[in-house]
Amino acid sequence: MSRAVTEPFIHVRALRKTYRKGDRQFLAISDATFDVAAGELVALVGPSGCGKTTLLKILAGLQGYDSGEARIGSASHPFDPSRDVGMVFQQALLLKWRRILQNVLLPAEILGLPMAESRARARELLAMVGLSGSEDKYPYELSGGMQQRAAIARALIHDPKLILMDEPFGALDALTREKMNLELLNIWKKSGKTIVFVTHGIAEAVFLGTRVVVLTAGPARMADNIKIDLPEPRVLDVKTTEAFGEYSRRIYHLLGLG
Amino acid sequence: MSVESISAAETKRASERLRKYLPGILSHAALIVVWYLFVTYGHIPSFVMPSPVATVATLGGKNYDWIGNALVTASEIFSGYLLAVVVGVILAIAFSWSRTTESAVMPLLVSLNMIPKVALGPLFIVWFSYGIFPNAIIAFSISFFPILLNTARGFREVEPELLELVRSLKSSKWQTFTKIQLPSAFPYIFSGMKIGAILAVAGALVGEFLGSSRGLGYLMLQVQVTLDTAALFMAVILITFIGVVLYGLVIGLERLMIVRDARIQ
C-alpha cells in the first residue's frame, strides 16, 4: 500500500530522443531521468536547444522517443492521455474569432464534455485567474498578461491531472511576469495539479519549482535534478534568502555560467 | 439616461460619421463639378467627352436597354465569381487535407494561371458559343486563382502550436478542421475574394468585348461605332457600379463574419 503512495506520477528514465535532418542526426535529449510525484511543480530549465520543449512534447504525447522510458500515471493517480493534459504555450494562442469564455471552452468541446457544466466551470476558472467580467470580450481587447491567464483557464477547463507549460510567461514584461509567477503558485495550490514548467529563467525555476530539472545543450543531456527546499507558501521575499541564492548559483554552475 | 441624452448621443455619433465620410463625398462631387466645368467652358466636342448631364441623359434613351444589358453583365460577373469562390475554397480545402494532392495539382495550376486568360476568350467562344456562359467562364478563370491561393495560404498559416494543443486533446480531423483550420482561414478567404471580385468584373467585360450579343460590353462596341461617347461613359459607370455592389457585398459579409482584429487589411 505504501508503495502505491510513493509511486511517482511521472517516471522518466534514460530517455533519449534524436532528430534526423537530412543526413545528419541531432541529439535532442539524452540521459533524462527524473520522477515527479503527483501535485509537484517541476521546472525544466536550460538554454535554447537543450531539448526541454521536446521533453514537454513527449510528455504531452505529441512526440515519440528513441529509447528509455516516459510513463505518466500511477495506481493512485490514473492518467488518460487524451483528457488529462492541459497545455500552455509562450503565446496565449487564443482563437481570435471566439470570445474569452468560448476560448476557455475549446477543450471541453473537443472532449465532448457536458456544456452547461463546462460553462459554469469556465466562469469559475476565469474568476480564479482574475478575469471575471471579461467573459464576453474578444482576445484583442485583453493585454498580453490577461490573454495568458485566459490560456491558463483553458488548460484547466477539462480538469486535467497534468499541466504542461512551455515558457508561458516568456513573452510578458518583467513585472507582469513576477505577478503571473505568484498567481501560478496560487492556482497550483488551489487546483492541486501536477505542473511541468519549461523556462530558461533560472530564478523563475527556483522560485516556482518544488523540483528543478536542469538540462544542458551541446551535447543535450540532463545535468541535474534538484529538490528545492524553500519555505511554503513561496513569497517574493524568498528570492532574497541565502538558500535561494545557493540553488540559483548551483544551476548557474551546471549551465556553465558561473 | 434620459431620452434626450440618448438622442443627443445619437446625433453626436451621426455627426462624427458625417465628419469621417464628408471629405470622401466632397472629393467625388468635386470630380463631377470639374468634369462639368471642363466640358462646358473648355469647348470640348461631346463625341470626345460628354458632360455629366449628357451622360446621365442617355439613361432615357430607348435603344440602349440599360437594364437588360446591365443584368446580363451582372449575371456573368456574379455567376463566374460565385463559381470561382466555391471551386477555389473547395480546392484549397482539398489541398489542406492532402499534401500529395497539393504537390501534384498546385504546380499545374500555377502553369495554367500563367496563360493570359484573355487569350482563352476566343477559344471559349468556339467551345461554348456566344452568351452568358462563356463570359462567366472567363470571369471565373480570372478570379479563381487568387481566391485559391489566398485560401490555401490561410490553411497553411495556422499556428502549429494551436494544432498541437488540440492534438494533445486527441481531437478528430473534423474537429480540428471546423474549430481551428477553417475559421483561421476565413480572413484569408475574404482577402482572396476581394481581389477576385475586381478581377471577375474585368473578366466578364473582356468576354463581352471578344464576342457577345448582349451585355454592357457588347453595348459599348455598338455605340462606339456611332461615336455615342455619352453612352460609353454611362456604360463604364454602370459596370463600375456593378463592381462596387459586388465588392460591397463581400466587405459586408466580411464585417459580419470576421472579428475586427482577425481581418486582413
Side-chain angles (χ1 to χ4, degrees), chain A residues 54-89:
Chain A
T54 306
L55 188 47
L56 205 68
K57 284 181 182 172
I58 290 173
L59 293 178
L62 294 169
Q63 276 186 12
Y65 45 91
D66 300 336
S67 62
E69 246 186 289
R71 183 183 53 68
I72 309 177
S74 62
S76 51
H77 294 87
F79 177 80
D80 175 351
S82 66
R83 315 199 143 224
D84 281 335
V85 177
M87 296 194 81
V88 181
F89 297 90

mmCIF file of all heavy atoms in Angstrom, chain A residues 54-89:
data_model
loop_
_atom_site.group_PDB
_atom_site.id
_atom_site.type_symbol
_atom_site.label_atom_id
_atom_site.label_comp_id
_atom_site.label_asym_id
_atom_site.label_seq_id
_atom_site.Cartn_x
_atom_site.Cartn_y
_atom_site.Cartn_z
ATOM 1 N N THR A 54 11.124 19.634 -26.352
ATOM 2 C CA THR A 54 10.932 18.275 -26.861
ATOM 3 C C THR A 54 10.438 17.355 -25.751
ATOM 4 O O THR A 54 9.512 16.563 -25.941
ATOM 5 C CB THR A 54 12.255 17.734 -27.428
ATOM 6 O OG1 THR A 54 12.740 18.661 -28.393
ATOM 7 C CG2 THR A 54 12.062 16.377 -28.071
ATOM 8 N N LEU A 55 11.051 17.504 -24.589
ATOM 9 C CA LEU A 55 10.659 16.687 -23.442
ATOM 10 C C LEU A 55 9.186 16.923 -23.089
ATOM 11 O O LEU A 55 8.426 15.990 -22.835
ATOM 12 C CB LEU A 55 11.570 17.044 -22.252
ATOM 13 C CG LEU A 55 11.494 16.197 -20.992
ATOM 14 C CD1 LEU A 55 11.535 14.719 -21.324
ATOM 15 C CD2 LEU A 55 12.651 16.552 -20.063
ATOM 16 N N LEU A 56 8.802 18.173 -23.141
ATOM 17 C CA LEU A 56 7.420 18.525 -22.837
ATOM 18 C C LEU A 56 6.463 17.885 -23.854
ATOM 19 O O LEU A 56 5.406 17.369 -23.497
ATOM 20 C CB LEU A 56 7.275 20.049 -22.869
ATOM 21 C CG LEU A 56 6.150 20.641 -22.041
ATOM 22 C CD1 LEU A 56 6.444 20.445 -20.574
ATOM 23 C CD2 LEU A 56 5.979 22.116 -22.347
ATOM 24 N N LYS A 57 6.880 17.910 -25.118
ATOM 25 C CA LYS A 57 6.021 17.334 -26.165
ATOM 26 C C LYS A 57 5.919 15.816 -26.023
ATOM 27 O O LYS A 57 4.885 15.238 -26.346
ATOM 28 C CB LYS A 57 6.563 17.698 -27.544
ATOM 29 C CG LYS A 57 6.244 19.143 -27.896
ATOM 30 C CD LYS A 57 6.746 19.517 -29.254
ATOM 31 C CE LYS A 57 6.437 20.984 -29.508
ATOM 32 N NZ LYS A 57 7.055 21.467 -30.737
ATOM 33 N N ILE A 58 6.992 15.199 -25.557
ATOM 34 C CA ILE A 58 6.930 13.759 -25.321
ATOM 35 C C ILE A 58 5.924 13.472 -24.202
ATOM 36 O O ILE A 58 5.083 12.583 -24.313
ATOM 37 C CB ILE A 58 8.329 13.196 -24.976
ATOM 38 C CG1 ILE A 58 9.229 13.242 -26.224
ATOM 39 C CG2 ILE A 58 8.223 11.762 -24.447
ATOM 40 C CD1 ILE A 58 10.671 12.885 -25.969
ATOM 41 N N LEU A 59 5.987 14.289 -23.151
ATOM 42 C CA LEU A 59 5.033 14.109 -22.037
ATOM 43 C C LEU A 59 3.597 14.361 -22.502
ATOM 44 O O LEU A 59 2.658 13.744 -22.014
ATOM 45 C CB LEU A 59 5.384 15.045 -20.876
ATOM 46 C CG LEU A 59 6.704 14.746 -20.154
ATOM 47 C CD1 LEU A 59 6.956 15.777 -19.066
ATOM 48 C CD2 LEU A 59 6.685 13.331 -19.561
ATOM 49 N N ALA A 60 3.438 15.275 -23.473
ATOM 50 C CA ALA A 60 2.096 15.585 -23.971
ATOM 51 C C ALA A 60 1.588 14.509 -24.921
ATOM 52 O O ALA A 60 0.439 14.563 -25.360
ATOM 53 C CB ALA A 60 2.109 16.938 -24.674
ATOM 54 N N GLY A 61 2.459 13.568 -25.270
ATOM 55 C CA GLY A 61 2.050 12.523 -26.212
ATOM 56 C C GLY A 61 2.066 13.003 -27.640
ATOM 57 O O GLY A 61 1.467 12.391 -28.526
ATOM 58 N N LEU A 62 2.742 14.141 -27.892
ATOM 59 C CA LEU A 62 2.780 14.678 -29.245
ATOM 60 C C LEU A 62 3.963 14.144 -30.036
ATOM 61 O O LEU A 62 4.019 14.273 -31.242
ATOM 62 C CB LEU A 62 2.860 16.217 -29.205
ATOM 63 C CG LEU A 62 1.630 16.922 -28.641
ATOM 64 C CD1 LEU A 62 1.927 18.397 -28.400
ATOM 65 C CD2 LEU A 62 0.457 16.779 -29.596
ATOM 66 N N GLN A 63 4.939 13.574 -29.320
ATOM 67 C CA GLN A 63 6.123 13.049 -29.986
ATOM 68 C C GLN A 63 6.546 11.741 -29.349
ATOM 69 O O GLN A 63 6.315 11.531 -28.158
ATOM 70 C CB GLN A 63 7.288 14.039 -29.861
ATOM 71 C CG GLN A 63 7.241 15.104 -30.927
ATOM 72 C CD GLN A 63 8.463 15.995 -30.896
ATOM 73 O OE1 GLN A 63 9.456 15.709 -30.237
ATOM 74 N NE2 GLN A 63 8.377 17.080 -31.630
ATOM 75 N N GLY A 64 7.168 10.920 -30.160
ATOM 76 C CA GLY A 64 7.703 9.662 -29.635
ATOM 77 C C GLY A 64 9.141 9.864 -29.180
ATOM 78 O O GLY A 64 9.650 10.973 -29.182
ATOM 79 N N TYR A 65 9.796 8.779 -28.754
ATOM 80 C CA TYR A 65 11.204 8.870 -28.366
ATOM 81 C C TYR A 65 11.898 7.600 -28.793
ATOM 82 O O TYR A 65 11.255 6.608 -29.166
ATOM 83 C CB TYR A 65 11.348 9.115 -26.861
ATOM 84 C CG TYR A 65 10.454 8.258 -25.991
ATOM 85 C CD1 TYR A 65 10.899 7.030 -25.503
ATOM 86 C CD2 TYR A 65 9.162 8.669 -25.672
ATOM 87 C CE1 TYR A 65 10.083 6.242 -24.708
ATOM 88 C CE2 TYR A 65 8.335 7.875 -24.890
ATOM 89 C CZ TYR A 65 8.797 6.665 -24.407
ATOM 90 O OH TYR A 65 7.974 5.889 -23.640
ATOM 91 N N ASP A 66 13.234 7.635 -28.784
ATOM 92 C CA ASP A 66 14.001 6.511 -29.340
ATOM 93 C C ASP A 66 14.174 5.382 -28.337
ATOM 94 O O ASP A 66 13.997 4.225 -28.670
ATOM 95 C CB ASP A 66 15.366 6.999 -29.816
ATOM 96 C CG ASP A 66 15.218 8.060 -30.893
ATOM 97 O OD1 ASP A 66 14.158 8.062 -31.547
ATOM 98 O OD2 ASP A 66 16.122 8.880 -31.061
ATOM 99 N N SER A 67 14.544 5.758 -27.109
ATOM 100 C CA SER A 67 14.727 4.693 -26.124
ATOM 101 C C SER A 67 14.528 5.266 -24.729
ATOM 102 O O SER A 67 14.467 6.478 -24.546
ATOM 103 C CB SER A 67 16.122 4.077 -26.257
ATOM 104 O OG SER A 67 17.098 5.056 -26.003
ATOM 105 N N GLY A 68 14.458 4.384 -23.763
ATOM 106 C CA GLY A 68 14.221 4.807 -22.390
ATOM 107 C C GLY A 68 12.745 4.683 -22.049
ATOM 108 O O GLY A 68 11.995 3.980 -22.733
ATOM 109 N N GLU A 69 12.360 5.394 -21.017
ATOM 110 C CA GLU A 69 11.002 5.269 -20.507
ATOM 111 C C GLU A 69 10.423 6.639 -20.222
ATOM 112 O O GLU A 69 11.134 7.524 -19.744
ATOM 113 C CB GLU A 69 11.060 4.513 -19.176
ATOM 114 C CG GLU A 69 10.404 3.141 -19.167
ATOM 115 C CD GLU A 69 10.403 2.587 -17.754
ATOM 116 O OE1 GLU A 69 11.487 2.224 -17.240
ATOM 117 O OE2 GLU A 69 9.312 2.554 -17.153
ATOM 118 N N ALA A 70 9.172 6.839 -20.537
ATOM 119 C CA ALA A 70 8.470 8.053 -20.115
ATOM 120 C C ALA A 70 7.039 7.643 -19.828
ATOM 121 O O ALA A 70 6.240 7.469 -20.737
ATOM 122 C CB ALA A 70 8.519 9.118 -21.199
ATOM 123 N N ARG A 71 6.747 7.449 -18.569
ATOM 124 C CA ARG A 71 5.448 6.922 -18.185
ATOM 125 C C ARG A 71 4.748 7.940 -17.289
ATOM 126 O O ARG A 71 5.356 8.537 -16.413
ATOM 127 C CB ARG A 71 5.644 5.599 -17.437
ATOM 128 C CG ARG A 71 4.371 4.881 -17.024
ATOM 129 C CD ARG A 71 4.680 3.610 -16.234
ATOM 130 N NE ARG A 71 5.558 3.841 -15.088
ATOM 131 C CZ ARG A 71 5.205 4.535 -13.994
ATOM 132 N NH1 ARG A 71 4.016 5.068 -13.899
ATOM 133 N NH2 ARG A 71 6.065 4.693 -12.998
ATOM 134 N N ILE A 72 3.477 8.145 -17.546
ATOM 135 C CA ILE A 72 2.703 9.051 -16.688
ATOM 136 C C ILE A 72 1.532 8.280 -16.095
ATOM 137 O O ILE A 72 0.919 7.458 -16.782
ATOM 138 C CB ILE A 72 2.152 10.254 -17.487
ATOM 139 C CG1 ILE A 72 3.278 10.925 -18.275
ATOM 140 C CG2 ILE A 72 1.504 11.270 -16.552
ATOM 141 C CD1 ILE A 72 2.814 12.065 -19.145
ATOM 142 N N GLY A 73 1.240 8.548 -14.841
ATOM 143 C CA GLY A 73 0.125 7.883 -14.183
ATOM 144 C C GLY A 73 0.597 6.848 -13.189
ATOM 145 O O GLY A 73 1.672 6.283 -13.345
ATOM 146 N N SER A 74 -0.184 6.659 -12.174
ATOM 147 C CA SER A 74 0.140 5.649 -11.174
ATOM 148 C C SER A 74 -1.167 5.024 -10.710
ATOM 149 O O SER A 74 -2.247 5.466 -11.125
ATOM 150 C CB SER A 74 0.859 6.303 -9.987
ATOM 151 O OG SER A 74 -0.001 7.249 -9.391
ATOM 152 N N ALA A 75 -1.049 4.023 -9.883
ATOM 153 C CA ALA A 75 -2.257 3.338 -9.418
ATOM 154 C C ALA A 75 -3.190 4.312 -8.708
ATOM 155 O O ALA A 75 -4.405 4.312 -8.917
ATOM 156 C CB ALA A 75 -1.876 2.189 -8.484
ATOM 157 N N SER A 76 -2.599 5.206 -7.903
ATOM 158 C CA SER A 76 -3.435 6.138 -7.156
ATOM 159 C C SER A 76 -3.853 7.336 -8.015
ATOM 160 O O SER A 76 -4.827 8.015 -7.715
ATOM 161 C CB SER A 76 -2.689 6.613 -5.907
ATOM 162 O OG SER A 76 -1.402 7.068 -6.275
ATOM 163 N N HIS A 77 -3.110 7.608 -9.068
ATOM 164 C CA HIS A 77 -3.434 8.721 -9.964
ATOM 165 C C HIS A 77 -3.431 8.259 -11.416
ATOM 166 O O HIS A 77 -2.495 8.528 -12.150
ATOM 167 C CB HIS A 77 -2.429 9.868 -9.791
ATOM 168 C CG HIS A 77 -2.510 10.520 -8.452
ATOM 169 N ND1 HIS A 77 -1.806 10.062 -7.363
ATOM 170 C CD2 HIS A 77 -3.222 11.586 -8.021
ATOM 171 C CE1 HIS A 77 -2.080 10.824 -6.321
ATOM 172 N NE2 HIS A 77 -2.941 11.755 -6.688
ATOM 173 N N PRO A 78 -4.477 7.534 -11.822
ATOM 174 C CA PRO A 78 -4.515 7.044 -13.205
ATOM 175 C C PRO A 78 -4.535 8.225 -14.185
ATOM 176 O O PRO A 78 -5.043 9.303 -13.866
ATOM 177 C CB PRO A 78 -5.818 6.245 -13.273
ATOM 178 C CG PRO A 78 -6.637 6.714 -12.129
ATOM 179 C CD PRO A 78 -5.689 7.177 -11.069
ATOM 180 N N PHE A 79 -3.975 7.980 -15.348
ATOM 181 C CA PHE A 79 -3.777 9.066 -16.304
ATOM 182 C C PHE A 79 -4.336 8.668 -17.662
ATOM 183 O O PHE A 79 -3.989 7.631 -18.220
ATOM 184 C CB PHE A 79 -2.270 9.351 -16.398
ATOM 185 C CG PHE A 79 -1.909 10.397 -17.409
ATOM 186 C CD1 PHE A 79 -2.044 11.749 -17.122
ATOM 187 C CD2 PHE A 79 -1.422 10.026 -18.657
ATOM 188 C CE1 PHE A 79 -1.698 12.710 -18.055
ATOM 189 C CE2 PHE A 79 -1.079 10.990 -19.592
ATOM 190 C CZ PHE A 79 -1.220 12.332 -19.285
ATOM 191 N N ASP A 80 -5.238 9.501 -18.190
ATOM 192 C CA ASP A 80 -5.792 9.255 -19.517
ATOM 193 C C ASP A 80 -5.179 10.292 -20.470
ATOM 194 O O ASP A 80 -5.479 11.482 -20.363
ATOM 195 C CB ASP A 80 -7.323 9.419 -19.451
ATOM 196 C CG ASP A 80 -7.970 9.309 -20.820
ATOM 197 O OD1 ASP A 80 -7.244 9.275 -21.831
ATOM 198 O OD2 ASP A 80 -9.217 9.250 -20.871
ATOM 199 N N PRO A 81 -4.307 9.838 -21.372
ATOM 200 C CA PRO A 81 -3.549 10.801 -22.182
ATOM 201 C C PRO A 81 -4.431 11.761 -22.997
ATOM 202 O O PRO A 81 -3.993 12.855 -23.324
ATOM 203 C CB PRO A 81 -2.689 9.938 -23.104
ATOM 204 C CG PRO A 81 -3.111 8.534 -22.886
ATOM 205 C CD PRO A 81 -3.926 8.452 -21.639
ATOM 206 N N SER A 82 -5.662 11.371 -23.302
ATOM 207 C CA SER A 82 -6.466 12.275 -24.123
ATOM 208 C C SER A 82 -7.181 13.338 -23.292
ATOM 209 O O SER A 82 -7.546 14.381 -23.804
ATOM 210 C CB SER A 82 -7.475 11.478 -24.951
ATOM 211 O OG SER A 82 -8.401 10.869 -24.096
ATOM 212 N N ARG A 83 -7.381 13.075 -22.000
ATOM 213 C CA ARG A 83 -8.164 14.027 -21.195
ATOM 214 C C ARG A 83 -7.365 14.684 -20.093
ATOM 215 O O ARG A 83 -7.847 15.609 -19.458
ATOM 216 C CB ARG A 83 -9.337 13.327 -20.498
ATOM 217 C CG ARG A 83 -10.082 12.422 -21.381
ATOM 218 C CD ARG A 83 -11.444 12.148 -20.805
ATOM 219 N NE ARG A 83 -12.355 12.067 -21.913
ATOM 220 C CZ ARG A 83 -13.551 12.630 -21.950
ATOM 221 N NH1 ARG A 83 -13.989 13.284 -20.918
ATOM 222 N NH2 ARG A 83 -14.308 12.528 -23.011
ATOM 223 N N ASP A 84 -6.188 14.166 -19.813
ATOM 224 C CA ASP A 84 -5.515 14.619 -18.597
ATOM 225 C C ASP A 84 -4.336 15.535 -18.855
ATOM 226 O O ASP A 84 -3.479 15.713 -17.989
ATOM 227 C CB ASP A 84 -5.083 13.406 -17.757
ATOM 228 C CG ASP A 84 -6.266 12.847 -16.969
ATOM 229 O OD1 ASP A 84 -7.189 13.628 -16.702
ATOM 230 O OD2 ASP A 84 -6.262 11.650 -16.640
ATOM 231 N N VAL A 85 -4.266 16.112 -20.062
ATOM 232 C CA VAL A 85 -3.196 17.051 -20.347
ATOM 233 C C VAL A 85 -3.785 18.419 -20.648
ATOM 234 O O VAL A 85 -4.701 18.547 -21.460
ATOM 235 C CB VAL A 85 -2.351 16.585 -21.556
ATOM 236 C CG1 VAL A 85 -1.289 17.633 -21.881
ATOM 237 C CG2 VAL A 85 -1.701 15.250 -21.269
ATOM 238 N N GLY A 86 -3.272 19.428 -19.965
ATOM 239 C CA GLY A 86 -3.610 20.801 -20.309
ATOM 240 C C GLY A 86 -2.327 21.490 -20.729
ATOM 241 O O GLY A 86 -1.301 21.284 -20.095
ATOM 242 N N MET A 87 -2.382 22.259 -21.813
ATOM 243 C CA MET A 87 -1.144 22.875 -22.295
ATOM 244 C C MET A 87 -1.244 24.397 -22.330
ATOM 245 O O MET A 87 -2.274 24.961 -22.679
ATOM 246 C CB MET A 87 -0.813 22.360 -23.692
ATOM 247 C CG MET A 87 -0.528 20.866 -23.732
ATOM 248 S SD MET A 87 0.244 20.365 -25.280
ATOM 249 C CE MET A 87 1.942 20.821 -24.981
ATOM 250 N N VAL A 88 -0.106 25.029 -21.986
ATOM 251 C CA VAL A 88 0.002 26.485 -22.089
ATOM 252 C C VAL A 88 1.325 26.786 -22.794
ATOM 253 O O VAL A 88 2.353 26.218 -22.441
ATOM 254 C CB VAL A 88 -0.002 27.157 -20.699
ATOM 255 C CG1 VAL A 88 0.085 28.672 -20.835
ATOM 256 C CG2 VAL A 88 -1.246 26.763 -19.904
ATOM 257 N N PHE A 89 1.261 27.636 -23.821
ATOM 258 C CA PHE A 89 2.469 27.941 -24.583
ATOM 259 C C PHE A 89 2.928 29.368 -24.312
ATOM 260 O O PHE A 89 2.284 30.126 -23.601
ATOM 261 C CB PHE A 89 2.185 27.781 -26.084
ATOM 262 C CG PHE A 89 1.818 26.380 -26.477
ATOM 263 C CD1 PHE A 89 0.497 25.961 -26.475
ATOM 264 C CD2 PHE A 89 2.803 25.482 -26.864
ATOM 265 C CE1 PHE A 89 0.161 24.671 -26.852
ATOM 266 C CE2 PHE A 89 2.471 24.196 -27.237
ATOM 267 C CZ PHE A 89 1.151 23.784 -27.230
#
